[in-house]
Amino acid sequence: MKRILLALSVVALLATSACGTKKKLAECESKNKEIQDLLNTATVKLNTCLSEKEAMNAQLDYLKKNNSDLINNMGNMTTLSTKGAQNIEKALESMKEKDLKITRLQDALTKKDSVTLALVTSLKKEVGISDPDIQVNVEKGVVFISIADKLLFKSGSYMVSDRAKEVLAKVAKVVNSKPTFECMVEGHTDNVPYKSNGVLLDNWDLSVKRSTSIVRVLTELDLQPKQLIAAGRGEYVPLVDNNSSDNRQTNRRTRIVVMPKIDEFYEMIEKEMKNLTGK
């Protein structure tokens, strides 16, 4: 009876952990979508401002040509009308103001891109992308490190290998230099049913357990627990169809998502958008 109660407690604990992880993952994905939508809106506004600037340039050229024609026709500088001069002055002032707002918004977007680029460069240098089982790339402004499960775990196991600890140590070194960054560890499996061993029920359980195993290794490498998020995606986000051995191997992976604090960049972009619209 004690053994049954203990097994039920473990299953309940895992279910609670999975629910908590799904909620954190959903919150994180929601935040990431929100900042991406904001960035897209900012880009549209930036392009609109650039179009307006181009139109102003055309208007200014017309005013200059008009006044030049007056000068040539009358042969006297005094023919430059007061109204024409005022129009030129207003156009120049408007262009200066628009240029300033465009520059500030571009600086905000460039700062975010620069942080991402620096992070990718550091990771590629430390981790070494020559290993085909390790990939570092950027999607929608977020840095992803994808590591094949054959490098991390034995088949059906969630015990981290010594080779994997070497790779994770390099990742931790880079992330440790960015204390304001967050690191989400996602476990992914293929669609081959997992044979329950009494502790893990299915592939979803396995993916979560592998994720928490990686998180524990990262904390041992001095990453702050508050920077880490453990998430299991099971078989539900495959890279390719699970219709061959090679494809299933591709889908068995752990993905480490390294991202700056979304709130910091949200506030920065939001501030510059308000300056751009004058509100």
PDB file of all heavy atoms in Angstrom, residues 15-16 19 22 26 35 39 47 51 60 83 90 107-109 111 161 191 201 211 233 245 255 261:
ATOM      1  N   ALA A  15       2.606  15.777 -12.733  1.00  0.00           N
ATOM      2  CA  ALA A  15       1.495  16.426 -13.434  1.00  0.00           C
ATOM      3  C   ALA A  15       1.434  17.898 -13.060  1.00  0.00           C
ATOM      4  O   ALA A  15       1.220  18.758 -13.899  1.00  0.00           O
ATOM      5  CB  ALA A  15       0.180  15.734 -13.084  1.00  0.00           C
ATOM      6  N   THR A  16       1.607  18.194 -11.759  1.00  0.00           N
ATOM      7  CA  THR A  16       1.581  19.586 -11.294  1.00  0.00           C
ATOM      8  C   THR A  16       2.717  20.371 -11.915  1.00  0.00           C
ATOM      9  O   THR A  16       2.543  21.491 -12.373  1.00  0.00           O
ATOM     10  CB  THR A  16       1.697  19.631  -9.755  1.00  0.00           C
ATOM     11  OG1 THR A  16       0.626  18.900  -9.192  1.00  0.00           O
ATOM     12  CG2 THR A  16       1.638  21.085  -9.282  1.00  0.00           C
ATOM     13  N   CYS A  19       1.995  21.110 -15.594  1.00  0.00           N
ATOM     14  CA  CYS A  19       1.003  22.176 -15.738  1.00  0.00           C
ATOM     15  C   CYS A  19       1.653  23.540 -15.506  1.00  0.00           C
ATOM     16  O   CYS A  19       1.412  24.488 -16.229  1.00  0.00           O
ATOM     17  CB  CYS A  19      -0.157  21.977 -14.768  1.00  0.00           C
ATOM     18  SG  CYS A  19      -1.211  20.561 -15.207  1.00  0.00           S
ATOM     19  N   LYS A  22       3.793  24.368 -18.474  1.00  0.00           N
ATOM     20  CA  LYS A  22       3.000  24.777 -19.627  1.00  0.00           C
ATOM     21  C   LYS A  22       2.526  26.223 -19.466  1.00  0.00           C
ATOM     22  O   LYS A  22       2.524  26.988 -20.428  1.00  0.00           O
ATOM     23  CB  LYS A  22       1.799  23.847 -19.778  1.00  0.00           C
ATOM     24  CG  LYS A  22       2.176  22.440 -20.289  1.00  0.00           C
ATOM     25  CD  LYS A  22       1.014  21.474 -20.177  1.00  0.00           C
ATOM     26  CE  LYS A  22      -0.190  21.932 -20.982  1.00  0.00           C
ATOM     27  NZ  LYS A  22      -1.334  21.003 -20.853  1.00  0.00           N
ATOM     28  N   ALA A  26       3.544  29.190 -21.901  1.00  0.00           N
ATOM     29  CA  ALA A  26       2.525  29.972 -22.592  1.00  0.00           C
ATOM     30  C   ALA A  26       2.715  31.466 -22.336  1.00  0.00           C
ATOM     31  O   ALA A  26       2.573  32.284 -23.240  1.00  0.00           O
ATOM     32  CB  ALA A  26       1.131  29.535 -22.132  1.00  0.00           C
ATOM     33  N   ILE A  35       5.968  41.421 -28.023  1.00  0.00           N
ATOM     34  CA  ILE A  35       7.076  42.304 -28.403  1.00  0.00           C
ATOM     35  C   ILE A  35       7.323  42.232 -29.888  1.00  0.00           C
ATOM     36  O   ILE A  35       7.669  43.210 -30.535  1.00  0.00           O
ATOM     37  CB  ILE A  35       8.353  41.948 -27.606  1.00  0.00           C
ATOM     38  CG1 ILE A  35       9.436  43.014 -27.850  1.00  0.00           C
ATOM     39  CG2 ILE A  35       8.881  40.593 -27.961  1.00  0.00           C
ATOM     40  CD1 ILE A  35       9.078  44.367 -27.409  1.00  0.00           C
ATOM     41  N   LEU A  39       7.295  45.323 -32.423  1.00  0.00           N
ATOM     42  CA  LEU A  39       8.409  45.606 -33.329  1.00  0.00           C
ATOM     43  C   LEU A  39       7.916  45.739 -34.772  1.00  0.00           C
ATOM     44  O   LEU A  39       8.376  46.595 -35.527  1.00  0.00           O
ATOM     45  CB  LEU A  39       9.457  44.503 -33.218  1.00  0.00           C
ATOM     46  CG  LEU A  39      10.329  44.526 -31.965  1.00  0.00           C
ATOM     47  CD1 LEU A  39      11.220  43.295 -31.909  1.00  0.00           C
ATOM     48  CD2 LEU A  39      11.173  45.778 -31.889  1.00  0.00           C
ATOM     49  N   ASN A  47       8.803  52.947 -41.715  1.00  0.00           N
ATOM     50  CA  ASN A  47       8.725  53.021 -43.175  1.00  0.00           C
ATOM     51  C   ASN A  47       7.822  54.165 -43.629  1.00  0.00           C
ATOM     52  O   ASN A  47       8.096  54.836 -44.629  1.00  0.00           O
ATOM     53  CB  ASN A  47       8.207  51.693 -43.737  1.00  0.00           C
ATOM     54  CG  ASN A  47       9.219  50.574 -43.582  1.00  0.00           C
ATOM     55  OD1 ASN A  47      10.425  50.834 -43.524  1.00  0.00           O
ATOM     56  ND2 ASN A  47       8.756  49.337 -43.525  1.00  0.00           N
ATOM     57  N   SER A  51       8.843  57.445 -45.940  1.00  0.00           N
ATOM     58  CA  SER A  51       8.099  57.862 -47.132  1.00  0.00           C
ATOM     59  C   SER A  51       7.719  59.338 -47.054  1.00  0.00           C
ATOM     60  O   SER A  51       7.808  60.082 -48.037  1.00  0.00           O
ATOM     61  CB  SER A  51       6.836  57.002 -47.284  1.00  0.00           C
ATOM     62  OG  SER A  51       7.158  55.642 -47.471  1.00  0.00           O
ATOM     63  N   LEU A  60      10.501  70.228 -51.051  1.00  0.00           N
ATOM     64  CA  LEU A  60      11.558  71.217 -50.856  1.00  0.00           C
ATOM     65  C   LEU A  60      12.263  71.513 -52.183  1.00  0.00           C
ATOM     66  O   LEU A  60      12.559  72.670 -52.496  1.00  0.00           O
ATOM     67  CB  LEU A  60      12.562  70.695 -49.829  1.00  0.00           C
ATOM     68  CG  LEU A  60      13.724  71.638 -49.480  1.00  0.00           C
ATOM     69  CD1 LEU A  60      13.193  72.953 -48.920  1.00  0.00           C
ATOM     70  CD2 LEU A  60      14.664  70.982 -48.482  1.00  0.00           C
ATOM     71  N   LYS A  83       6.542  84.561 -48.779  1.00  0.00           N
ATOM     72  CA  LYS A  83       5.794  83.313 -48.563  1.00  0.00           C
ATOM     73  C   LYS A  83       6.614  82.093 -48.945  1.00  0.00           C
ATOM     74  O   LYS A  83       6.602  81.066 -48.241  1.00  0.00           O
ATOM     75  CB  LYS A  83       4.508  83.337 -49.382  1.00  0.00           C
ATOM     76  CG  LYS A  83       3.605  82.141 -49.146  1.00  0.00           C
ATOM     77  CD  LYS A  83       2.301  82.262 -49.917  1.00  0.00           C
ATOM     78  CE  LYS A  83       1.415  81.059 -49.646  1.00  0.00           C
ATOM     79  NZ  LYS A  83       0.117  81.151 -50.388  1.00  0.00           N
ATOM     80  N   LYS A  90       9.618  76.276 -43.034  1.00  0.00           N
ATOM     81  CA  LYS A  90       8.735  75.324 -42.367  1.00  0.00           C
ATOM     82  C   LYS A  90       9.052  73.888 -42.792  1.00  0.00           C
ATOM     83  O   LYS A  90       9.041  72.958 -41.970  1.00  0.00           O
ATOM     84  CB  LYS A  90       7.279  75.647 -42.687  1.00  0.00           C
ATOM     85  CG  LYS A  90       6.761  76.908 -42.005  1.00  0.00           C
ATOM     86  CD  LYS A  90       5.311  77.156 -42.379  1.00  0.00           C
ATOM     87  CE  LYS A  90       4.784  78.422 -41.709  1.00  0.00           C
ATOM     88  NZ  LYS A  90       3.370  78.694 -42.079  1.00  0.00           N
ATOM     89  N   ASP A 107      17.596  53.784 -33.526  1.00  0.00           N
ATOM     90  CA  ASP A 107      18.573  53.467 -32.480  1.00  0.00           C
ATOM     91  C   ASP A 107      18.042  52.400 -31.535  1.00  0.00           C
ATOM     92  O   ASP A 107      18.774  51.496 -31.112  1.00  0.00           O
ATOM     93  CB  ASP A 107      18.919  54.728 -31.676  1.00  0.00           C
ATOM     94  CG  ASP A 107      19.795  55.688 -32.461  1.00  0.00           C
ATOM     95  OD1 ASP A 107      20.367  55.259 -33.484  1.00  0.00           O
ATOM     96  OD2 ASP A 107      19.906  56.865 -32.050  1.00  0.00           O
ATOM     97  N   ALA A 108      16.744  52.497 -31.194  1.00  0.00           N
ATOM     98  CA  ALA A 108      16.144  51.502 -30.296  1.00  0.00           C
ATOM     99  C   ALA A 108      16.142  50.119 -30.938  1.00  0.00           C
ATOM    100  O   ALA A 108      16.494  49.114 -30.307  1.00  0.00           O
ATOM    101  CB  ALA A 108      14.718  51.916 -29.931  1.00  0.00           C
ATOM    102  N   LEU A 109      15.740  50.063 -32.225  1.00  0.00           N
ATOM    103  CA  LEU A 109      15.714  48.777 -32.918  1.00  0.00           C
ATOM    104  C   LEU A 109      17.123  48.234 -33.120  1.00  0.00           C
ATOM    105  O   LEU A 109      17.372  47.036 -32.975  1.00  0.00           O
ATOM    106  CB  LEU A 109      15.020  48.937 -34.276  1.00  0.00           C
ATOM    107  CG  LEU A 109      13.532  49.309 -34.221  1.00  0.00           C
ATOM    108  CD1 LEU A 109      13.014  49.632 -35.620  1.00  0.00           C
ATOM    109  CD2 LEU A 109      12.713  48.197 -33.606  1.00  0.00           C
ATOM    110  N   LYS A 111      19.710  48.787 -31.224  1.00  0.00           N
ATOM    111  CA  LYS A 111      20.251  48.319 -29.951  1.00  0.00           C
ATOM    112  C   LYS A 111      19.829  46.887 -29.680  1.00  0.00           C
ATOM    113  O   LYS A 111      20.636  46.049 -29.262  1.00  0.00           O
ATOM    114  CB  LYS A 111      19.759  49.222 -28.811  1.00  0.00           C
ATOM    115  CG  LYS A 111      20.297  48.806 -27.436  1.00  0.00           C
ATOM    116  CD  LYS A 111      19.814  49.748 -26.350  1.00  0.00           C
ATOM    117  CE  LYS A 111      20.333  49.289 -24.981  1.00  0.00           C
ATOM    118  NZ  LYS A 111      19.840  50.180 -23.889  1.00  0.00           N
ATOM    119  N   SER A 161      24.652  13.268 -20.273  1.00  0.00           N
ATOM    120  CA  SER A 161      25.958  12.658 -20.530  1.00  0.00           C
ATOM    121  C   SER A 161      27.096  13.620 -20.185  1.00  0.00           C
ATOM    122  O   SER A 161      26.896  14.838 -20.099  1.00  0.00           O
ATOM    123  CB  SER A 161      26.076  12.255 -22.005  1.00  0.00           C
ATOM    124  OG  SER A 161      26.127  13.411 -22.823  1.00  0.00           O
ATOM    125  N   ASN A 191       7.656  10.722 -32.114  1.00  0.00           N
ATOM    126  CA  ASN A 191       6.288  10.268 -31.808  1.00  0.00           C
ATOM    127  C   ASN A 191       6.206   8.784 -31.459  1.00  0.00           C
ATOM    128  O   ASN A 191       5.111   8.226 -31.388  1.00  0.00           O
ATOM    129  CB  ASN A 191       5.353  10.574 -32.977  1.00  0.00           C
ATOM    130  CG  ASN A 191       5.677   9.752 -34.218  1.00  0.00           C
ATOM    131  OD1 ASN A 191       6.783   9.204 -34.343  1.00  0.00           O
ATOM    132  ND2 ASN A 191       4.740   9.672 -35.146  1.00  0.00           N
ATOM    133  N   LEU A 201       5.172   8.656 -17.703  1.00  0.00           N
ATOM    134  CA  LEU A 201       4.005   8.046 -18.358  1.00  0.00           C
ATOM    135  C   LEU A 201       4.120   8.012 -19.877  1.00  0.00           C
ATOM    136  O   LEU A 201       3.666   7.064 -20.506  1.00  0.00           O
ATOM    137  CB  LEU A 201       2.739   8.816 -17.964  1.00  0.00           C
ATOM    138  CG  LEU A 201       2.416   8.851 -16.463  1.00  0.00           C
ATOM    139  CD1 LEU A 201       1.143   9.646 -16.244  1.00  0.00           C
ATOM    140  CD2 LEU A 201       2.281   7.443 -15.915  1.00  0.00           C
ATOM    141  N   SER A 211      14.238  18.212 -19.749  1.00  0.00           N
ATOM    142  CA  SER A 211      14.406  19.652 -19.594  1.00  0.00           C
ATOM    143  C   SER A 211      14.871  20.006 -18.183  1.00  0.00           C
ATOM    144  O   SER A 211      15.810  20.790 -18.000  1.00  0.00           O
ATOM    145  CB  SER A 211      13.091  20.366 -19.910  1.00  0.00           C
ATOM    146  OG  SER A 211      13.192  21.745 -19.652  1.00  0.00           O
ATOM    147  N   ARG A 233       7.968  19.867 -24.575  1.00  0.00           N
ATOM    148  CA  ARG A 233       7.044  19.988 -25.701  1.00  0.00           C
ATOM    149  C   ARG A 233       6.631  18.619 -26.244  1.00  0.00           C
ATOM    150  O   ARG A 233       5.835  18.537 -27.176  1.00  0.00           O
ATOM    151  CB  ARG A 233       7.679  20.805 -26.839  1.00  0.00           C
ATOM    152  CG  ARG A 233       8.219  22.175 -26.417  1.00  0.00           C
ATOM    153  CD  ARG A 233       7.159  23.081 -25.831  1.00  0.00           C
ATOM    154  NE  ARG A 233       6.096  23.381 -26.759  1.00  0.00           N
ATOM    155  CZ  ARG A 233       6.110  24.409 -27.600  1.00  0.00           C
ATOM    156  NH1 ARG A 233       7.136  25.233 -27.628  1.00  0.00           N
ATOM    157  NH2 ARG A 233       5.096  24.628 -28.408  1.00  0.00           N
ATOM    158  N   SER A 245      13.636   6.852 -39.653  1.00  0.00           N
ATOM    159  CA  SER A 245      14.542   6.834 -38.501  1.00  0.00           C
ATOM    160  C   SER A 245      15.327   8.138 -38.403  1.00  0.00           C
ATOM    161  O   SER A 245      15.493   8.698 -37.307  1.00  0.00           O
ATOM    162  CB  SER A 245      15.502   5.641 -38.626  1.00  0.00           C
ATOM    163  OG  SER A 245      16.424   5.645 -37.554  1.00  0.00           O
ATOM    164  N   ARG A 255      16.141  22.205 -26.976  1.00  0.00           N
ATOM    165  CA  ARG A 255      16.365  23.555 -27.480  1.00  0.00           C
ATOM    166  C   ARG A 255      16.486  24.524 -26.309  1.00  0.00           C
ATOM    167  O   ARG A 255      15.640  24.545 -25.425  1.00  0.00           O
ATOM    168  CB  ARG A 255      15.219  23.979 -28.403  1.00  0.00           C
ATOM    169  CG  ARG A 255      15.518  25.241 -29.178  1.00  0.00           C
ATOM    170  CD  ARG A 255      14.512  25.498 -30.260  1.00  0.00           C
ATOM    171  NE  ARG A 255      13.220  25.922 -29.725  1.00  0.00           N
ATOM    172  CZ  ARG A 255      12.292  26.558 -30.436  1.00  0.00           C
ATOM    173  NH1 ARG A 255      12.503  26.820 -31.711  1.00  0.00           N
ATOM    174  NH2 ARG A 255      11.140  26.905 -29.895  1.00  0.00           N
ATOM    175  N   LYS A 261      15.462  40.198 -21.229  1.00  0.00           N
ATOM    176  CA  LYS A 261      14.194  40.446 -20.552  1.00  0.00           C
ATOM    177  C   LYS A 261      13.251  41.168 -21.506  1.00  0.00           C
ATOM    178  O   LYS A 261      13.533  42.274 -21.967  1.00  0.00           O
ATOM    179  CB  LYS A 261      14.419  41.312 -19.303  1.00  0.00           C
ATOM    180  CG  LYS A 261      15.177  40.617 -18.185  1.00  0.00           C
ATOM    181  CD  LYS A 261      14.318  39.623 -17.453  1.00  0.00           C
ATOM    182  CE  LYS A 261      15.037  39.092 -16.220  1.00  0.00           C
ATOM    183  NZ  LYS A 261      14.236  38.132 -15.478  1.00  0.00           N
TER     184      LYS A 261
END
